[in-house]
Amino acid sequence: MNDKKYLKWYQKLAYGSGDLASNCSYGLVSSFLLLYLSDIMGLKTSIIGTLMLVSKIFDGVTDVFFGNMIDRTKSRLGKARPWMLYAQIGVSLCLVLLFSIPNMGQTAQYAYFFAFYTCLNAIFYTANGVAYSTLSALITNNPQERVQLGSIRFMFAVVTNIVMGFAVTGGVEAFGGGAAGWRAVAIICALIGLVVNTISCLAVKEVEPDESVRKTDESKPQDDKLGFWESMKFLFTNKYYVLILVLYIVYYIMSNITTGSGVYFTKYVLGDASLLGMFQMMKMFPVIIALIFTPMLVKKTGSMQKVNFWGYAINCVLSVFFIYFAYQRNVKLMLLFMFIKGIFAGTLSGTLNALIAEISGYTYRTKGVRMDGTMFSCSSLGIKIGGGIGTAAVGWLLDLGGYIGTAAEQTEGAINMIFAMYIVIPVILSVAITVILGLLNVEKANKKWDEEHAKEV
């Protein structure tokens, strides 16, 4: 294990702040875009959901493409940093345009939404996100520092989402409400994202990879010479890549269903939309607590898999009580169990990037090929596919339940559907995540390889 320290404390914070920039766009889109489109613009949720899913088909292709491009990049800023730096300009611009739909025919509005939603996600956010995730493997070779980076970045993500849960709807009203209010909030988020992303990118530098686990085999194709289809072969013959990709997809289906339905749950089931901020805080704040202890737990147990598996298993058991109190509409006990559940499930957020780095190391050990950028595409690819399905599912299920955005009151069927989306479905998906974590033993596989090949190094 490489114990050399590569990063100063301020560089770790600067890198982590990149998730603040990312969630200024992702958080606004995933939590509030559907509400803006349905309640402000009067668009149909089922059509929006379908367009979002179609958009994700394009999105799924570009994730691996940009990962491969990062691997082939050579520049003054390195491999990943130029993509992270310049793609944010497009992210910020598309975010503003997405919340600035002009007054025109509904067909044209659907087309306008689809065009800029696809540009935002499939091109700019993908390039930025894949590059940002890849950086955690390129700016340090120390596994413990990678876990720390994962914890810090998700702390920034959590805090950003909590703040947005409290501030966005109030900010919209402060700027006059309606379409103008949403546009003003989008502009503010876009500017914050642009500034913080620039700081995050320029505060760190890429280092030479650790060659201690395997000497480069010149007979093997090198990272900057791998073709697209050859990269695909290496990816999808790596069982651990497939597992973590599925993990990301399921995780973000769950996350986006919860996030997308949260504003509807507090508004229509609990009868108080202002509770959204409190629910966001009780969902996100315990993750910060978990992330503080995650590096210590991983170091003590010697296994990210053990920490994550047992954390999610306990989370699933506690979910039984959470569902019961939700049926009772007992808000205080719902918030309490949401908080406790979040502490146990929160360790996963801080270890995801470190797990991908382990999987990339597995490819390097077994195949002699380094392809960090392409390997880290699973994070963006999983977020986009899972997020797309999750967000689209919210639109479809709302429509299936009989939800009408412009109606003064919703039917019982709509209320029940909203309840299922926010309370029941996420628990079912948590069980699936626990099973996947039980299979993700890449750390053990790497240690076994190192022991078997110790004499060759």
Side-chain angles (χ1 to χ4, degrees):
M1 180 180 290
N2 191 330
D3 293 324
K4 178 183 176 181
K5 305 298 182 184
Y6 292 82
L7 300 168
K8 305 291 185 182
W9 65 268
Y10 60 85
Q11 290 178 305
K12 295 176 185 177
L13 287 177
Y15 172 83
S17 70
D19 245 324
L20 188 159
S22 175
N23 279 278
C24 278
S25 57
Y26 184 80
L28 189 65
V29 170
S30 62
S31 295
F32 299 100
L33 180 60
L34 190 60
L35 182 69
Y36 163 76
L37 294 172
S38 64
D39 290 19
I40 302 300
M41 304 309 300
L43 302 181
K44 195 171 179 62
T45 59
S46 59
I47 297 177
I48 297 166
T50 301
L51 290 175
M52 286 178 170
L53 189 59
V54 171
S55 175
K56 295 305 176 183
I57 296 174
F58 298 104
D59 217 347
V61 175
T62 59
D63 286 280
V64 181
F65 170 78
F66 280 117
N68 184 253
M69 291 298 294
I70 290 168
D71 282 331
R72 299 164 67 90
T73 296
K74 293 181 178 180
S75 76
R76 179 174 56 85
L77 290 174
K79 290 177 174 292
R81 289 200 299 161
W83 293 94
M84 177 181 171
L85 182 65
Y86 300 119
Q88 180 62 39
I89 298 172
V91 170
S92 293
L93 179 61
C94 286
L95 182 65
V96 174
L97 292 172
L98 201 53
F99 282 87
S100 305
I101 296 180
N103 291 321
M104 50 186 174
Q106 274 205 343
T107 301
Q109 287 180 324
Y110 284 122
Y112 177 99
F113 154 74
F114 180 77
F116 287 109
Y117 182 80
T118 302
C119 286
L120 171 66
N121 288 289
I123 301 175
F124 299 113
Y125 187 84
T126 295
N128 175 270
V130 172
Y132 179 52
S133 294
T134 304
L135 264 186
S136 67
L138 298 180
I139 60 179
T140 178
N141 294 315
N142 186 317
Q144 282 297 313
E145 283 190 333
R146 288 172 179 168
V147 174
Q148 291 169 358
L149 291 176
S151 295
I152 293 169
R153 67 173 287 191
F154 278 98
M155 286 182 191
F156 274 99
V158 166
V159 171
T160 304
N161 278 290
I162 290 173
V163 171
M164 293 186 73
F166 277 106
V168 168
T169 54
V172 171
E173 294 303 317
F175 285 104
W182 283 103
R183 182 169 58 249
V185 168
I187 291 172
I188 293 172
C189 289
L191 290 174
I192 293 173
L194 188 61
V195 172
V196 175
N197 181 82
T198 302
I199 295 171
S200 175
C201 182
L202 298 182
V204 297
K205 63 179 181 179
E206 299 177 19
V207 298
E208 291 297 318
D210 182 7
E211 301 293 335
S212 63
V213 297
R214 183 183 179 99
K215 298 182 188 302
T216 301
D217 185 349
E218 297 296 336
S219 68
K220 301 286 186 180
Q222 302 306 302
D223 59 338
D224 60 345
K225 297 181 176 63
L226 278 175
F228 179 80
W229 293 112
E230 195 170 12
S231 297
M232 294 303 95
K233 178 183 176 182
F234 280 116
L235 284 184
F236 290 99
T237 55
N238 183 336
K239 64 179 180 181
Y240 295 115
Y241 176 87
V242 175
L243 278 172
I244 201 160
L245 175 60
V246 174
L247 174 66
Y248 261 99
I249 291 172
V250 176
Y251 181 89
Y252 278 93
I253 289 175
M254 177 184 70
S255 177
N256 276 56
I257 287 177
T258 305
T259 301
S261 62
V263 66
Y264 295 96
F265 180 81
T266 54
K267 182 177 181 180
Y268 295 107
V269 177
L270 299 181
D272 186 358
S274 66
L275 286 173
L276 177 63
M278 183 60 69
F279 272 85
Q280 288 280 70
M281 185 170 71
M282 289 299 103
K283 177 185 174 184
M284 297 291 187
F285 186 68
V287 180
I288 296 179
I289 298 176
L291 294 180
I292 292 173
F293 293 101
T294 296
M296 291 181 284
L297 289 171
V298 172
K299 187 173 184 179
K300 184 175 179 62
T301 62
S303 171
M304 289 180 280
Q305 183 197 21
K306 289 180 181 177
V307 173
N308 292 329
F309 174 79
W310 287 110
Y312 250 86
I314 296 171
N315 165 70
C316 290
V317 173
L318 293 172
S319 294
V320 175
F321 299 95
F322 178 68
I323 293 174
Y324 173 76
F325 291 122
Y327 270 112
Q328 299 296 318
R329 305 296 195 269
N330 190 325
V331 174
K332 290 182 180 179
L333 288 178
M334 282 180 66
L335 292 171
L336 175 62
F337 272 83
M338 180 177 280
F339 181 86
I340 299 172
K341 276 163 30 71
I343 292 177
F344 287 100
T347 59
L348 179 61
S349 298
T351 58
L352 281 171
N353 274 6
L355 280 170
I356 301 172
E358 286 285 333
I359 295 169
S360 186
Y362 179 80
T363 300
Y364 186 50
R365 285 169 169 85
T366 58
K367 303 295 183 182
V369 178
R370 184 174 295 280
M371 45 189 296
D372 293 310
T374 307
M375 192 66 64
F376 270 86
S377 69
C378 69
S379 61
S380 184
L381 178 60
I383 290 171
K384 301 306 177 49
I385 295 176
I389 294 173
T391 303
V394 173
W396 294 333
L397 292 171
L398 282 173
D399 191 64
L400 183 63
Y403 177 83
I404 301 174
T406 54
E409 294 185 7
Q410 300 300 329
T411 64
E412 184 178 353
I415 300 297
N416 289 337
M417 184 62 76
I418 292 169
F419 184 93
M421 285 191 292
Y422 192 74
I423 302 296
V424 180
I425 294 175
V427 175
I428 296 172
L429 296 176
S430 291
V431 174
I433 289 173
T434 306
V435 173
I436 297 169
L437 289 171
L439 301 172
L440 197 56
N441 61 339
V442 63
E443 298 159 283
K444 184 177 180 181
N446 281 342
K447 289 177 182 177
K448 181 179 179 182
W449 192 98
D450 290 343
E451 290 170 359
E452 292 175 350
H453 296 80
K455 294 181 181 180
E456 299 176 15
V457 179

